[in-house]
PDB file of all heavy atoms in Angstrom:
ATOM      1  N   HIS B 823      17.072  25.907  -1.737  1.00 90.00           N
ATOM      2  CA  HIS B 823      16.510  26.882  -2.657  1.00 90.00           C
ATOM      3  C   HIS B 823      15.853  26.184  -3.850  1.00 90.00           C
ATOM      4  O   HIS B 823      14.706  26.456  -4.215  1.00 90.00           O
ATOM      5  CB  HIS B 823      17.642  27.818  -3.098  1.00 90.00           C
ATOM      6  CG  HIS B 823      17.252  28.815  -4.129  1.00 90.00           C
ATOM      7  ND1 HIS B 823      17.471  28.605  -5.469  1.00 90.00           N
ATOM      8  CD2 HIS B 823      16.633  30.018  -4.021  1.00 90.00           C
ATOM      9  CE1 HIS B 823      17.013  29.649  -6.134  1.00 90.00           C
ATOM     10  NE2 HIS B 823      16.502  30.526  -5.279  1.00 90.00           N
ATOM     11  N   CYS B 824      16.590  25.236  -4.433  1.00 91.00           N
ATOM     12  CA  CYS B 824      16.044  24.513  -5.600  1.00 91.00           C
ATOM     13  C   CYS B 824      14.847  23.678  -5.187  1.00 91.00           C
ATOM     14  O   CYS B 824      13.820  23.668  -5.872  1.00 91.00           O
ATOM     15  CB  CYS B 824      17.123  23.620  -6.195  1.00 91.00           C
ATOM     16  SG  CYS B 824      16.481  22.437  -7.385  1.00 91.00           S
ATOM     17  N   LEU B 825      14.981  22.989  -4.063  1.00 93.00           N
ATOM     18  CA  LEU B 825      13.902  22.107  -3.629  1.00 93.00           C
ATOM     19  C   LEU B 825      12.621  22.909  -3.420  1.00 93.00           C
ATOM     20  O   LEU B 825      11.530  22.514  -3.840  1.00 93.00           O
ATOM     21  CB  LEU B 825      14.316  21.419  -2.322  1.00 93.00           C
ATOM     22  CG  LEU B 825      13.333  20.362  -1.818  1.00 93.00           C
ATOM     23  CD1 LEU B 825      13.354  19.156  -2.728  1.00 93.00           C
ATOM     24  CD2 LEU B 825      13.691  19.938  -0.393  1.00 93.00           C
ATOM     25  N   LEU B 826      12.768  24.037  -2.792  1.00 92.00           N
ATOM     26  CA  LEU B 826      11.621  24.875  -2.476  1.00 92.00           C
ATOM     27  C   LEU B 826      10.888  25.300  -3.743  1.00 92.00           C
ATOM     28  O   LEU B 826       9.681  25.068  -3.902  1.00 92.00           O
ATOM     29  CB  LEU B 826      12.126  26.109  -1.722  1.00 92.00           C
ATOM     30  CG  LEU B 826      11.132  26.795  -0.828  1.00 92.00           C
ATOM     31  CD1 LEU B 826      10.763  25.888   0.306  1.00 92.00           C
ATOM     32  CD2 LEU B 826      11.762  28.087  -0.283  1.00 92.00           C
ATOM     33  N   TRP B 827      11.624  25.892  -4.666  1.00 93.00           N
ATOM     34  CA  TRP B 827      10.976  26.405  -5.876  1.00 93.00           C
ATOM     35  C   TRP B 827      10.454  25.282  -6.766  1.00 93.00           C
ATOM     36  O   TRP B 827       9.358  25.360  -7.314  1.00 93.00           O
ATOM     37  CB  TRP B 827      11.939  27.287  -6.676  1.00 93.00           C
ATOM     38  CG  TRP B 827      12.131  28.660  -6.098  1.00 93.00           C
ATOM     39  CD1 TRP B 827      13.313  29.219  -5.698  1.00 93.00           C
ATOM     40  CD2 TRP B 827      11.123  29.641  -5.855  1.00 93.00           C
ATOM     41  NE1 TRP B 827      13.109  30.486  -5.210  1.00 93.00           N
ATOM     42  CE2 TRP B 827      11.762  30.783  -5.291  1.00 93.00           C
ATOM     43  CE3 TRP B 827       9.744  29.682  -6.032  1.00 93.00           C
ATOM     44  CZ2 TRP B 827      11.079  31.930  -4.932  1.00 93.00           C
ATOM     45  CZ3 TRP B 827       9.061  30.824  -5.669  1.00 93.00           C
ATOM     46  CH2 TRP B 827       9.716  31.940  -5.125  1.00 93.00           C
ATOM     47  N   SER B 828      11.272  24.229  -6.925  1.00 95.00           N
ATOM     48  CA  SER B 828      10.860  23.176  -7.859  1.00 95.00           C
ATOM     49  C   SER B 828       9.648  22.420  -7.327  1.00 95.00           C
ATOM     50  O   SER B 828       8.702  22.128  -8.070  1.00 95.00           O
ATOM     51  CB  SER B 828      12.015  22.205  -8.133  1.00 95.00           C
ATOM     52  OG  SER B 828      12.401  21.569  -6.945  1.00 95.00           O
ATOM     53  N   MET B 829       9.633  22.149  -6.015  1.00 95.00           N
ATOM     54  CA  MET B 829       8.479  21.437  -5.450  1.00 95.00           C
ATOM     55  C   MET B 829       7.228  22.311  -5.511  1.00 95.00           C
ATOM     56  O   MET B 829       6.132  21.835  -5.810  1.00 95.00           O
ATOM     57  CB  MET B 829       8.762  21.067  -3.988  1.00 95.00           C
ATOM     58  CG  MET B 829       9.562  19.811  -3.827  1.00 95.00           C
ATOM     59  SD  MET B 829       8.625  18.369  -4.335  1.00 95.00           S
ATOM     60  CE  MET B 829       9.848  17.521  -5.290  1.00 95.00           C
ATOM     61  N   LEU B 830       7.434  23.580  -5.249  1.00 95.00           N
ATOM     62  CA  LEU B 830       6.304  24.503  -5.294  1.00 95.00           C
ATOM     63  C   LEU B 830       5.686  24.497  -6.691  1.00 95.00           C
ATOM     64  O   LEU B 830       4.467  24.338  -6.859  1.00 95.00           O
ATOM     65  CB  LEU B 830       6.802  25.909  -4.929  1.00 95.00           C
ATOM     66  CG  LEU B 830       5.743  26.892  -4.470  1.00 95.00           C
ATOM     67  CD1 LEU B 830       5.119  26.399  -3.185  1.00 95.00           C
ATOM     68  CD2 LEU B 830       6.377  28.274  -4.247  1.00 95.00           C
ATOM     69  N   ALA B 831       6.534  24.631  -7.699  1.00 95.00           N
ATOM     70  CA  ALA B 831       6.030  24.693  -9.074  1.00 95.00           C
ATOM     71  C   ALA B 831       5.421  23.352  -9.478  1.00 95.00           C
ATOM     72  O   ALA B 831       4.329  23.291 -10.072  1.00 95.00           O
ATOM     73  CB  ALA B 831       7.177  25.060 -10.015  1.00 95.00           C
ATOM     74  N   ASN B 832       6.132  22.284  -9.138  1.00 95.00           N
ATOM     75  CA  ASN B 832       5.683  20.948  -9.512  1.00 95.00           C
ATOM     76  C   ASN B 832       4.304  20.651  -8.923  1.00 95.00           C
ATOM     77  O   ASN B 832       3.362  20.272  -9.632  1.00 95.00           O
ATOM     78  CB  ASN B 832       6.733  19.945  -9.018  1.00 95.00           C
ATOM     79  CG  ASN B 832       6.547  18.562  -9.608  1.00 95.00           C
ATOM     80  OD1 ASN B 832       5.437  18.206 -10.007  1.00 95.00           O
ATOM     81  ND2 ASN B 832       7.615  17.795  -9.686  1.00 95.00           N
ATOM     82  N   LEU B 833       4.193  20.886  -7.620  1.00 96.00           N
ATOM     83  CA  LEU B 833       2.924  20.599  -6.943  1.00 96.00           C
ATOM     84  C   LEU B 833       1.811  21.511  -7.430  1.00 96.00           C
ATOM     85  O   LEU B 833       0.687  21.064  -7.702  1.00 96.00           O
ATOM     86  CB  LEU B 833       3.094  20.763  -5.432  1.00 96.00           C
ATOM     87  CG  LEU B 833       3.788  19.618  -4.720  1.00 96.00           C
ATOM     88  CD1 LEU B 833       4.101  19.991  -3.285  1.00 96.00           C
ATOM     89  CD2 LEU B 833       2.887  18.380  -4.750  1.00 96.00           C
ATOM     90  N   ALA B 834       2.130  22.792  -7.554  1.00 95.00           N
ATOM     91  CA  ALA B 834       1.096  23.742  -7.940  1.00 95.00           C
ATOM     92  C   ALA B 834       0.529  23.375  -9.305  1.00 95.00           C
ATOM     93  O   ALA B 834      -0.696  23.363  -9.516  1.00 95.00           O
ATOM     94  CB  ALA B 834       1.659  25.152  -7.949  1.00 95.00           C
ATOM     95  N   LEU B 835       1.421  23.058 -10.241  1.00 95.00           N
ATOM     96  CA  LEU B 835       0.933  22.746 -11.588  1.00 95.00           C
ATOM     97  C   LEU B 835       0.202  21.404 -11.609  1.00 95.00           C
ATOM     98  O   LEU B 835      -0.833  21.269 -12.269  1.00 95.00           O
ATOM     99  CB  LEU B 835       2.099  22.750 -12.579  1.00 95.00           C
ATOM    100  CG  LEU B 835       2.520  24.171 -12.962  1.00 95.00           C
ATOM    101  CD1 LEU B 835       3.850  24.162 -13.681  1.00 95.00           C
ATOM    102  CD2 LEU B 835       1.457  24.798 -13.860  1.00 95.00           C
ATOM    103  N   LEU B 836       0.765  20.422 -10.919  1.00 95.00           N
ATOM    104  CA  LEU B 836       0.111  19.114 -10.919  1.00 95.00           C
ATOM    105  C   LEU B 836      -1.308  19.216 -10.352  1.00 95.00           C
ATOM    106  O   LEU B 836      -2.279  18.762 -10.961  1.00 95.00           O
ATOM    107  CB  LEU B 836       0.927  18.113 -10.090  1.00 95.00           C
ATOM    108  CG  LEU B 836       0.250  16.768  -9.827  1.00 95.00           C
ATOM    109  CD1 LEU B 836       0.040  16.005 -11.125  1.00 95.00           C
ATOM    110  CD2 LEU B 836       1.054  15.912  -8.868  1.00 95.00           C
ATOM    111  N   ILE B 837      -1.418  19.853  -9.194  1.00 95.00           N
ATOM    112  CA  ILE B 837      -2.736  19.919  -8.555  1.00 95.00           C
ATOM    113  C   ILE B 837      -3.640  20.888  -9.301  1.00 95.00           C
ATOM    114  O   ILE B 837      -4.775  20.564  -9.678  1.00 95.00           O
ATOM    115  CB  ILE B 837      -2.590  20.340  -7.077  1.00 95.00           C
ATOM    116  CG1 ILE B 837      -1.758  19.300  -6.319  1.00 95.00           C
ATOM    117  CG2 ILE B 837      -3.946  20.487  -6.429  1.00 95.00           C
ATOM    118  CD1 ILE B 837      -1.399  19.709  -4.919  1.00 95.00           C
ATOM    119  N   GLY B 838      -3.092  22.071  -9.547  1.00 94.00           N
ATOM    120  CA  GLY B 838      -3.914  23.100 -10.181  1.00 94.00           C
ATOM    121  C   GLY B 838      -4.418  22.667 -11.547  1.00 94.00           C
ATOM    122  O   GLY B 838      -5.625  22.728 -11.841  1.00 94.00           O
ATOM    123  N   TRP B 839      -3.499  22.197 -12.378  1.00 93.00           N
ATOM    124  CA  TRP B 839      -3.902  21.832 -13.731  1.00 93.00           C
ATOM    125  C   TRP B 839      -4.843  20.626 -13.726  1.00 93.00           C
ATOM    126  O   TRP B 839      -5.743  20.528 -14.557  1.00 93.00           O
ATOM    127  CB  TRP B 839      -2.673  21.560 -14.597  1.00 93.00           C
ATOM    128  CG  TRP B 839      -2.995  21.639 -16.048  1.00 93.00           C
ATOM    129  CD1 TRP B 839      -3.306  20.611 -16.867  1.00 93.00           C
ATOM    130  CD2 TRP B 839      -3.120  22.829 -16.825  1.00 93.00           C
ATOM    131  NE1 TRP B 839      -3.601  21.078 -18.107  1.00 93.00           N
ATOM    132  CE2 TRP B 839      -3.504  22.450 -18.121  1.00 93.00           C
ATOM    133  CE3 TRP B 839      -2.938  24.201 -16.556  1.00 93.00           C
ATOM    134  CZ2 TRP B 839      -3.703  23.363 -19.148  1.00 93.00           C
ATOM    135  CZ3 TRP B 839      -3.132  25.103 -17.573  1.00 93.00           C
ATOM    136  CH2 TRP B 839      -3.509  24.687 -18.848  1.00 93.00           C
ATOM    137  N   SER B 840      -4.623  19.712 -12.773  1.00 93.00           N
ATOM    138  CA  SER B 840      -5.505  18.542 -12.700  1.00 93.00           C
ATOM    139  C   SER B 840      -6.928  18.960 -12.367  1.00 93.00           C
ATOM    140  O   SER B 840      -7.895  18.323 -12.793  1.00 93.00           O
ATOM    141  CB  SER B 840      -5.011  17.559 -11.644  1.00 93.00           C
ATOM    142  OG  SER B 840      -3.777  17.019 -12.023  1.00 93.00           O
ATOM    143  N   LEU B 841      -7.042  20.038 -11.582  1.00 93.00           N
ATOM    144  CA  LEU B 841      -8.383  20.488 -11.227  1.00 93.00           C
ATOM    145  C   LEU B 841      -9.069  21.182 -12.396  1.00 93.00           C
ATOM    146  O   LEU B 841     -10.294  21.185 -12.510  1.00 93.00           O
ATOM    147  CB  LEU B 841      -8.304  21.436 -10.021  1.00 93.00           C
ATOM    148  CG  LEU B 841      -7.877  20.749  -8.721  1.00 93.00           C
ATOM    149  CD1 LEU B 841      -7.665  21.768  -7.626  1.00 93.00           C
ATOM    150  CD2 LEU B 841      -8.910  19.711  -8.293  1.00 93.00           C
TER     151      LEU B 841
END
Side-chain angles (χ1 to χ4, degrees):
Chain B
H823 175 264
C824 167
L825 185 70
L826 204 66
W827 283 122
S828 62
M829 277 292 135
L830 200 64
N832 193 335
L833 282 171
L835 282 167
L836 171 65
I837 298 172
W839 199 264
S840 294
L841 292 173

